[in-house]
């Protein structure tokens, strides 16, 4: 996820017989540039399409499973809310949704994360006076229980129109792939491996770089709230024909 490898483990890699594995074109190219004398394999990312697919019902059926009306344009935010670095850029993504909702009143938000985690997501919504009827979230006890399966996750994707995943960086970006496999468009950031796995969606230009350590050329990026909104608004206005074409592709 960074432009340079970490110096504190690079010497161990160079002196060992390890085979390096890049999980994307982005990761592979970084390793190749850093360790030109090492054997490097590239393993493309994939998901289980027996689980993550568009399903046997239409999208309205899955929207109703989530408690939304078929006329709603449903935005999804999914991911861990435990990192102090706010890697998922929850605030930028939620504020972009809020901006769209204030213009398009049929928009709704589904939060599949700990809403009271490191970033208090409900506080952001409350501050902007977003009524509780506009958003839903899964209770932590249910989400973290053994009864909550990967099929349940797939049904969430199927019931949503767009996944807001414009993050600071992604190691794998599995939710981006899962969402698209289930017919849910995505909004991502033009950094790390996100552009190469965004097919049914829009990759947004980030606002600025955020360096990890002074003097180190290792960074991730801060997404642009305005660019996320513009992408979200564009996807909202896609025609049904164009939307279906992207799902097939």
């Amino acid at each position: 996820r960074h432009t340079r490898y970490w110096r504190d483990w690079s010497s161990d890699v160079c002196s060992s017989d390890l085979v390096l594995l890049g999980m994307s074109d982005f990761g592979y190219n970084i390793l190749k540039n850093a360790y030109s004398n090492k054997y490097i394999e590239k393993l493309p990312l994939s998901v289980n399409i027996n689980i993550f697919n568009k399903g046997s019902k239409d999208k309205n059926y899955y929207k109703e499973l989530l408690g939304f009306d078929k006329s709603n344009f449903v935005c999804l935010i999914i991911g861990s809310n435990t990192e102090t670095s706010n890697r998922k850029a929850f605030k930028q993504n939620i504020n972009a949704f809020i901006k769209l909702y204030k213009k398009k009143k049929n928009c709704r938000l589904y939060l599949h994360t700990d809403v009271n985690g490191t970033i208090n997501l409900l506080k952001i919504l409350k501050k902007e006076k977003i009524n509780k009827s506009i958003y839903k979230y899964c209770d932590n006890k249910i989400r973290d229980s053994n009864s909550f399966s990967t099929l349940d996750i797939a049904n969430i994707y199927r019931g949503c129109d767009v996944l807001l995943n414009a993050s600071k960086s992604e190691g794998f970006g599995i939710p981006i792939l899962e969402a698209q496999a289930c017919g849910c468009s995505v909004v991502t950031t033009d950094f790390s491996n996100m552009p190469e796995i965004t097919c049914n969606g829009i990759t947004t230009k980030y606002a600025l770089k955020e360096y990890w350590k002074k003097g180190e050329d290792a960074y991730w990026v801060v997404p642009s709230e305005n660019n996320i909104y513009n992408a979200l608004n564009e996807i909202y206005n896609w025609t049904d024909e164009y939307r279906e074409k992207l799902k097939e592709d």
Side-chain angles (χ1 to χ4, degrees):
R1 71 180 56 158
H2 319 293
T3 57
R4 295 281 182 86
Y5 51 90
W6 285 108
R7 294 175 183 172
D8 55 3
W9 55 259
S10 61
S11 59
D12 294 333
V13 172
C14 290
S15 61
S16 72
D17 294 326
L18 292 174
V19 173
L20 302 182
L21 184 64
M23 299 295 289
S24 63
D25 288 343
F26 175 81
Y28 174 82
N29 290 330
I30 284 182
L31 290 172
K32 187 176 180 181
N33 291 334
Y35 305 108
S36 57
N37 61 328
K38 298 290 293 183
Y39 180 71
I40 304 171
E41 279 280 5
K42 180 167 65 175
L43 180 64
L45 292 171
S46 61
V47 295
N48 186 347
I49 59 173
N50 291 319
I51 297 174
F52 295 100
N53 54 61
K54 290 185 290 184
S56 59
K57 309 285 187 180
D58 66 15
K59 185 168 285 290
N60 292 335
Y61 170 84
Y62 297 105
K63 284 186 179 183
E64 290 179 356
L65 282 183
L66 295 178
F68 294 110
D69 187 80
K70 63 181 181 180
S71 64
N72 292 148
F73 180 79
V74 184
C75 303
L76 168 66
I77 290 179
I78 190 170
S80 173
N81 187 13
T82 59
E83 300 174 75
T84 56
S85 58
N86 187 29
R87 182 179 62 83
K88 283 293 185 179
F90 287 114
K91 185 175 182 180
Q92 288 91 336
N93 284 279
I94 289 179
N95 283 341
F97 163 79
I98 291 171
K99 189 173 181 180
L100 182 70
Y101 166 73
K102 289 182 176 179
K103 295 186 177 182
K104 315 287 187 182
K105 293 300 184 181
N106 68 325
C107 290
R108 298 292 184 270
L109 178 64
Y110 188 85
L111 299 161
H112 191 73
T113 185
D114 184 355
V115 295
N116 296 307
T118 304
I119 308 297
N120 191 320
L121 307 184
L122 299 185
K123 187 176 181 180
I124 298 173
L125 292 162
K126 186 177 180 180
K127 182 181 178 181
E128 294 296 325
K129 297 180 172 56
I130 303 301
N131 190 281
K132 291 181 180 179
S133 63
I134 305 306
Y135 60 88
K136 299 180 184 296
Y137 57 90
C138 186
D139 183 88
N140 290 351
K141 291 181 180 179
I142 298 174
R143 194 184 70 251
D144 298 334
S145 69
N146 292 329
S147 62
F148 202 93
S149 68
T150 51
L151 179 59
D152 294 316
I153 296 291
N155 284 337
I156 290 173
Y157 289 129
R158 291 167 183 152
C160 295
D161 294 288
V162 59
L163 169 68
L164 284 169
N165 201 106
S167 62
K168 292 182 176 182
S169 183
E170 291 293 331
F172 298 99
I174 293 297
I176 299 171
L177 293 178
E178 292 174 342
Q180 292 174 107
C182 293
C184 176
S185 302
V186 297
V187 175
T188 60
T189 310
D190 186 15
F191 187 67
S192 67
N193 70 328
M194 286 183 273
E196 65 188 85
I197 60 174
T198 300
C199 303
N200 174 9
I202 298 174
T203 299
T204 62
K205 179 67 177 175
Y206 57 83
L208 52 90
K209 297 177 181 178
E210 185 175 85
Y211 286 85
W212 280 63
K213 292 182 180 179
K214 187 176 180 180
E216 290 275 4
D217 189 18
Y219 64 85
W220 51 22
V221 300
V222 178
S224 164
E225 182 181 307
N226 192 54
N227 289 346
I228 298 171
Y229 162 73
N230 288 335
L232 196 52
N233 186 57
E234 183 175 337
I235 292 174
Y236 179 94
N237 288 305
W238 280 351
T239 63
D240 291 339
E241 292 76 15
Y242 184 68
R243 206 179 298 275
E244 289 301 316
K245 179 180 183 300
L246 287 177
K247 288 179 184 178
E248 293 301 323
D249 292 344

